Structure formats: C-alpha cells, structure tokens
Amino acid sequence: RPGEVDALADFLFIEDPNLLDMVKLVSVFEPTAKLRDKSGLDVMVGGHYPMPGGMGVVYTLEGLMMTKETKTPWQLHVDYETLHPFTVGNGRSGRALWLWKMQKERKLESWVKPYNFLQSFYYQTLAQNQSE
C-alpha cells in the first residue's frame, strides 16, 4: 500500500508510542481496520479467540502501551498479537511495535535488517523458551 514504508519509518522515530500512534499506523496499513472498541467487533485468529470487542480491548491496549518499557520485544509482540486489538492489520502493526522496541533497546544486531522480523523473532522465541 502507498505510504506503508513511510508510516513505519515515522513510527520507529516516535519516542514513546501510544494507542493513538498505533491507530494511526494501522490506518495506513489497513484503511478499513477498526480498533475493536465496540461489542461485536470480535475476531478469530486460527484457533485463538482474542478478548471480545469492547472497551476492554482499548483499556488492555492502553495498559500494554503504558507498560511496554518493562517488556522484552518478544513479550510485547506476543501480548499485542494475543490481544489482536484491530479487526485487521495486527500482524504488520505488531511487527512494527516489536521493531520499535528492538531499536529502543538497541538489540538489532548488525546482520539483522529492520524488516527481517521472522528470523529475529524466531531466535528470541527459542531463547525465551529456554529461559522458562
């Protein structure tokens, strides 16, 4: 889609992204996306049923954004995707949030290209599972 790369670049330079920044980013990725802030805006992802649509989604996303500093990039991404706060566009926006956190913590190794999400996430997942 036009503007996605610019929107991602702009997002990555935000010092402290919040719920409105996520809404703005998702609106570029998926113009028809809706924040699941109303009853009935329910989704199913594979066999996972995220929290039902309603203000609980908004409050949970706000809480996630307020506590993002205390989470690892991996956990921030997992929590965001588990919530699935938008009707569509969660994958790209979740990866953008992960990348923002990786940059914030300066965890992007020299061999990691910013868009090489899957490889980096794979290794983080393996490391996380070994530490549990």
Side-chain angles (χ1 to χ4, degrees), residues 34-46:
K34 293 179 177 25
L35 179 61
R36 296 187 319 104
D37 60 351
K38 293 180 180 56
S39 180
L41 288 177
D42 302 334
V43 294
M44 181 180 77
V45 184

Side-chain angles (χ1 to χ4, degrees), residues 55-128:
M55 288 307 292
V57 172
V58 176
Y59 299 141
T60 303
L61 181 55
E62 284 177 335
L64 178 64
M65 297 305 290
M66 290 189 320
T67 61
K68 66 187 171 298
E69 298 293 332
T70 66
K71 297 179 181 290
T72 66
W74 177 85
Q75 188 61 57
L76 180 61
H77 178 77
V78 168
D79 290 352
Y80 181 86
E81 295 299 338
T82 302
L83 176 61
H84 216 77
F86 296 91
T87 53
V88 292
N90 295 286
R92 282 174 283 170
S93 58
R95 289 187 294 272
L97 189 57
W98 171 87
L99 183 57
W100 173 86
K101 181 69 173 182
M102 287 289 288
Q103 284 189 166
K104 179 104 173 146
E105 294 186 1
R106 303 192 192 293
K107 289 187 175 181
L108 288 176
E109 312 242 354
S110 60
W111 56 270
V112 176
K113 303 283 188 263
Y115 302 104
N116 194 0
F117 167 81
L118 291 177
Q119 185 177 21
S120 300
F121 188 76
Y122 172 78
Y123 287 116
Q124 280 184 359
T125 302
L126 288 177
Q128 180 68 30

